[in-house]
Amino acid sequence: MVHPLDKSTLTMPLPPVVTELGELFSEAGYELSLVGGPVRDLFLGRSSPDLDFTTNANPDQTLAVIRGWADAYWEIGRAFGTIGLRRGSHQIEITTYRADAYDPGSRNPSVAFGSNLEEDLLRRDFTVNAMALTLPAMELVDPFGGVKDLHAGVLRTPGAPSSSFSDDPLRMMRAARFASQLGVSVAPEVAEAMSAMAERIGIISAERIRDELVKLVNGRAPGRGIDLLVETGLADHVLPEVSALRLEIDEHHRHKDVYRHSLTVLEQACASETDADGPVPGPDFVLRFAALLHDIGKPATRKFGPGNAVSFRHHDAVGAKLAARRMRALRFDNDTIKAVSRLVELHMRFYGYGEAGWTDSAVRRYVTDAGPLLERLHRLVRSDVTTRNRRQVERLAFAYDDLEARISALAEQEELAMIRPDLDGAQIMALLGITPGPVVGRAYRYLLEERMEHGPLDPATAEARLRSWWFHQPESKEIL
């Protein structure tokens, strides 16, 4: 289907660089079309950070056209027919028409160049991404009904879903990602193919799966994407700990649906994010992923007791280890792994505050243990309240409001975010007459505990307590 583009249906104008490039290729005798995500986003009123084009020119011919016009160009994707370039603030990729052929046992396509635009569009993942805008004529090429599917909010493949997913199994992860980013549902035949072919995701590298997962979690409706992974069985291979949250609910309803609860916590965590000027600008992957994984320790720790009682003792500590293990398998960086697993570990620390109250020492430890994750921890703990019992919701909210007020009050007095012992290492060594070594570390930790327990100490009191501690250390007798 080819027809002139009705610009009145678009809410985002095309940048001038698009028509400029189209005219360059036309003058050189080649075809050029804007394709894929940038075309889709035109109909969604979104601007794309990157611009993707397809052409009948081969890479050498493309280079001949863009030299002197591009501010910079690179040939990293040349083997796949792609030339990258930068023009002003725009990142651009131009790829020769493709008709990819895949080895069923390989993670990567073997490249076969195509001869026409429609053949190129057929190889793409979904109909909403299989649209092109020919340049400079500005005609919309939509052979598979992408615009119709976009308006209907449904995800379909240009050809048979089984063929598409067999060619590139990562497209199944992309389906879940688009469900999150675009808020669309998948067509029944797409869901069926995902379920039937879920195991094939195993040939895809952990890094590529991780990248799709991050985009999914950072989407506008991540629960929708996660649900699709779980319902089709893909999560059994990429996030089995989340699938395991679907604990069997017995007739006595001794505990709530942990899986649905986790999706609700994720949704509430997303809603708690701030704008760019706030303490937790959204989308915040660390907060969202911790919200999704916060209860993954429950299946392994579930115990039944008398009176139909159920408990999940230490599920926070177990869950933190499981989260770190899964994230390492997905090749996340160490900082992100530590942040997510630490939030999972700390998410239960607050409970009990409302009943027993906390000493100033406990408040200091809460802040110190959270460190730079404190604002995220605030939001995770509040998001973890999903009960329908209004009185319980109000009680927990009041208790956490009180805790945050105490944190603020102590922070004004003590700089909680930077708690240090009242004496530093040099002062410790000078006072005790010792040289650098393990004893200095022990002394430092002792003073830090005193600082946590009692708040700031004046120099004389800190020195007196250090001397008292030192008197009971075996090393002090050796010096004497």
Side-chain angles (χ1 to χ4, degrees), residues 30 132 277 289 303 366 431 436 461:
Y30 302 115
D277 297 325
F289 207 48
K303 295 286 187 293
Y366 189 77
L431 188 66
T461 302

Side-chain angles (χ1 to χ4, degrees), residues 296-298 300-301 313-323 344:
I296 60 172
K298 281 190 171 181
T301 58
R313 286 193 66 190
H314 307 305
H315 77 271
D316 43 357
V318 172
K321 293 177 180 178
L322 291 174
V344 173

Side-chain angles (χ1 to χ4, degrees), residues 234-246 296 299 326 330:
L234 274 167
D236 294 341
H237 303 279
V238 299
L239 279 178
E241 296 82 3
V242 173
S243 291
L245 290 174
R246 295 178 295 174
I296 60 172
R326 176 53 48 196
L330 290 170

Side-chain angles (χ1 to χ4, degrees), residues 394-405:
E394 291 174 353
R395 179 179 61 78
L396 290 170
F398 177 83
Y400 208 86
D401 287 344
D402 184 65
L403 174 58
E404 287 202 63

Side-chain angles (χ1 to χ4, degrees), residues 412-476:
E412 289 182 6
Q413 304 169 28
E414 305 180 18
E415 294 187 80
L416 288 184
M418 300 180 64
I419 286 183
R420 299 289 185 275
D422 296 285
L423 301 176
D424 62 24
Q427 291 171 312
I428 290 170
M429 289 187 288
L431 188 66
L432 302 183
I434 59 177
T435 57
V439 177
V440 179
R442 294 204 332 257
Y444 186 93
R445 288 190 291 276
Y446 166 75
L447 288 175
L448 181 59
E449 287 294 318
E450 289 293 296
R451 173 71 172 78
M452 289 286 190
E453 192 66 32
H454 305 290
L457 304 175
D458 61 78
T461 302
E463 290 177 8
R465 293 190 180 180
L466 180 62
R467 290 184 188 280
S468 176
W469 172 85
W470 178 238
F471 178 78
H472 295 93
Q473 304 307 305
E475 292 86 351
S476 67

